Amino acid sequence: MAIRNNRLSETEYLDNFQDIHPPFETKDAALVEANRCIFCYDAPCMKSCPTSIDVPKFIKQIATDNVKGSAHTILSSNIMGAGCSKVCPVEKLCEGACVYNFMHEKPIQIARLQRYSTEKAMEQNWQLFDRKPSIGKKVAIVGAGPAGLSCAHGLSREGVDVTIFEKEEKGGGLMTYGIAAYKVTPEFCQEEVDYITSIGGIDIKYGKELGINISLEKLRSEYDAVYLAYGVGLARQLNIPGEDLSGVVDALKFIYDIRNDGYKSVSVGDEVVVIGMGMTAIDAATQAKRLGAASVTMVYRRTQEEMPCTEHELNIAKLDGCKIIWLAAPIEVIGENGHIKEVVFDEMGLSEPDASGRRSPVKNGSTFSLKADMLIKAAGQMPFEALNDSMSLEHNYGKILVESGCKTNIQGVFAGGDNVNGGREVVDAVQAGKEAAAEMLREMLKVEC
């Protein structure tokens, strides 16, 4: 067994990480799909979208060859509609709600149609929104991820001057650094950031981390309002013996390195074990396989019925050849010469449902082990509890407490996205940023927006 990088040829890397959801190849293909839509009244697809995109309207606009109008309809509700068309779990959102599912037919390819319109808008640099003249208000946003960018665009459209402080060297947040490269590339993420900021009035300062080289106190003194959109990002640890051995890595760091350093630079083992069954775990497992791992085994302490990822995502892992073990929890990592050699697991069962219907894992007394030269931990993420404490922000185990949607306990300080909800989908963060922009405008101008 060996953990190393640069396992594959350039062609193999390109093949393994090509777009998993390719766009329509021709205009006619998009028109054919758009014309399948029956344009429901009170459409369930629209209701299931956290940003309430008018799906029947934008599809009708495609069907009538009004692609620019279609893009405007989408981006008016979700300024990151292009990126969301690639990464949203549409099988449990818009496409999952499509009425065709109830007729046992394939649902409308809503995400693919959304991508068709929004990518054309970006390629053609269509300026679909006008920025109002400056109203003399300044807002600081911490975090250039989906919530921060959505809030910035909403404020800038109304004439507010926005400065975003981002700790990384690129914008996009989770989109840029935390999602599998075969879903969306870092290059596309940069193009989307550039498109969003092209409205004007938005300045992004990179390499600026809250609590390190910028402070909330200073931001409050220099701006009319502050929006905290720094998400979550601390990997949850397993707290088991041997966790500090070489070859044991966090899924977030593993994915970050792939996104930031490129495929060839990231080391992967021959026999990889992944702990967890969320979307991050799936992304880590599939990418380990596509980087050249001979074997990838995903282990989850509950059953398939309780898994956090979608059936669609699980099938991606299975198609990539990942093995799945249910009802097992790691209890020790055993090493040799300072490097991981195997992982020991408790076999688990599930308790009777509690009042909420949730069943908890319980040990059944048996153990087993798996050989491994790499262990990827994807057991979830934790909010920045210590950072919130340092700023006297009220929170619940790290999740910032807000009222009226996004107001924190500190005057003039608002928050939204993953640092409030604990970590949901990109589209939820976009909606949080949109709602925050409206709320902040109301507060600053004391008028309805």
Side-chain angles (χ1 to χ4, degrees):
M1 296 189 292
I3 183 168
R4 54 190 173 86
N5 58 16
N6 201 15
R7 288 174 171 269
L8 308 177
S9 69
E10 187 68 34
T11 300
E12 288 174 315
Y13 282 122
L14 291 175
D15 287 345
N16 288 354
F17 287 89
Q18 64 181 317
D19 197 335
I20 196 170
H21 300 300
F24 289 111
E25 293 184 1
T26 65
K27 173 184 172 180
D28 286 347
L31 289 173
V32 167
E33 185 63 20
N35 278 290
R36 286 185 63 227
C37 184
I38 58 176
F39 312 115
C40 301
Y41 172 76
D42 200 24
C45 54
M46 182 176 174
K47 289 182 176 180
S48 69
C49 174
T51 58
S52 300
I53 293 173
D54 192 334
V55 177
K57 181 180 178 180
F58 95 70
I59 294 180
K60 184 71 171 179
Q61 288 168 313
I62 292 175
T64 55
D65 204 22
N66 181 11
V67 180
K68 183 177 284 190
S70 176
H72 183 269
T73 297
I74 296 163
L75 298 175
S76 293
S77 293
N78 181 349
I79 193 58
M80 296 192 75
C84 285
S85 71
K86 295 169 177 276
V87 305
C88 264
V90 292
E91 60 277 2
K92 70 176 185 181
L93 296 173
C94 56
E95 292 185 18
C98 179
V99 296
Y100 274 116
N101 290 298
F102 302 103
M103 296 185 281
H104 305 291
E105 292 188 32
K106 183 179 178 182
I108 302 297
Q109 298 178 64
I110 299 170
R112 210 171 174 197
L113 289 168
Q114 181 170 311
R115 177 176 178 177
Y116 174 75
S117 295
T118 54
E119 283 196 349
K120 191 168 288 288
M122 288 173 57
E123 290 166 4
Q124 301 295 322
N125 196 28
W126 289 336
Q127 294 302 309
L128 303 174
F129 306 96
D130 293 322
R131 169 174 158 80
K132 293 180 181 178
S134 177
I135 61 173
K137 297 290 185 179
K138 299 190 305 178
V139 169
I141 295 177
V142 181
L149 289 168
S150 173
C151 183
H153 193 270
L155 290 171
S156 182
R157 282 167 60 179
E158 298 300 321
V160 177
D161 298 313
V162 179
T163 302
I164 304 178
F165 297 86
E166 168 56 49
K167 69 177 182 178
E168 302 290 350
E169 296 304 320
K170 298 176 184 176
L174 179 70
M175 288 281 292
T176 299
Y177 291 105
I179 292 177
Y182 55 73
K183 294 179 182 176
V184 59
T185 66
E187 292 77 19
F188 171 84
C189 292
Q190 185 60 54
E191 291 169 3
E192 187 167 43
V193 171
D194 291 343
Y195 183 73
I196 291 169
T197 57
S198 66
I199 191 174
I202 303 173
D203 178 30
I204 304 181
K205 296 185 181 299
Y206 294 106
K208 300 293 183 181
E209 184 172 357
L210 188 62
I212 304 296
N213 46 23
I214 54 170
S215 70
L216 181 58
E217 183 180 5
K218 183 172 177 61
L219 294 180
R220 289 184 68 205
S221 69
E222 296 180 355
Y223 293 86
D224 295 292
V226 179
Y227 182 56
L228 304 176
Y230 45 76
V232 293
L234 298 173
R236 192 178 302 278
Q237 301 304 301
L238 302 176
N239 297 316
I240 60 175
E243 191 172 1
D244 58 348
L245 286 168
S246 172
V248 180
V249 301
D250 293 324
L252 288 172
K253 180 67 165 56
F254 179 66
I255 296 170
Y256 178 98
D257 289 344
I258 295 172
R259 306 284 290 182
N260 199 51
D261 302 333
Y263 315 128
K264 293 183 179 180
S265 301
V266 179
S267 297
V268 69
D270 282 329
E271 295 186 88
V272 179
V273 172
V274 179
I275 305 299
M277 196 57 72
M279 304 293 262
T280 299
I282 295 288
D283 282 358
T286 54
Q287 290 189 112
K289 200 74 171 67
R290 293 172 187 230
L291 285 172
S295 169
V296 175
T297 303
M298 301 186 69
V299 184
Y300 184 52
R301 61 182 183 156
R302 290 185 168 91
T303 69
Q304 185 169 344
E305 285 68 33
E306 291 86 18
M307 67 182 183
C309 72
T310 65
E311 190 79 24
H312 174 76
E313 292 288 327
L314 178 64
N315 288 337
I316 292 175
K318 288 180 176 179
L319 287 170
D320 275 1
C322 298
K323 304 168 190 173
I324 313 294
I325 296 178
W326 307 102
L327 291 170
I331 56 174
E332 184 179 6
V333 182
I334 297 174
E336 185 175 79
N337 299 322
H339 191 83
I340 179 177
K341 180 182 177 183
E342 62 181 309
V343 186
V344 183
F345 294 87
D346 270 331
E347 292 184 0
M348 311 296 286
L350 290 177
S351 68
E352 292 298 316
D354 60 20
S356 68
R358 186 170 177 79
R359 299 189 296 169
S360 299
V362 291
K363 299 178 183 179
N364 71 7
S366 300
T367 64
F368 68 94
S369 63
L370 294 175
K371 289 184 178 180
D373 57 2
M374 186 176 191
L375 175 67
I376 301 177
K377 299 178 292 183
Q381 302 173 46
M382 300 181 296
F384 296 102
E385 189 168 354
L387 176 62
N388 296 338
D389 280 336
S390 71
M391 297 182 293
S392 300
L393 279 168
E394 290 183 357
H395 62 87
N396 180 27
Y397 296 103
K399 294 189 288 186
I400 300 173
L401 295 174
V402 295
E403 59 180 49
S404 298
C406 60
K407 294 181 188 175
T408 72
N409 62 297
I410 301 175
Q411 180 66 33
V413 178
F414 304 78
D418 287 355
N419 58 3
V420 170
N421 63 41
R424 293 182 187 169
E425 307 296 343
V426 170
V427 67
D428 292 296
V430 174
Q431 180 64 15
K434 186 171 70 173
E435 292 172 353
E439 179 65 25
M440 294 168 81
L441 282 163
R442 282 192 289 268
E443 284 292 307
M444 288 188 290
L445 303 179
K446 299 300 179 184
V447 296
E448 288 295 321
C449 301

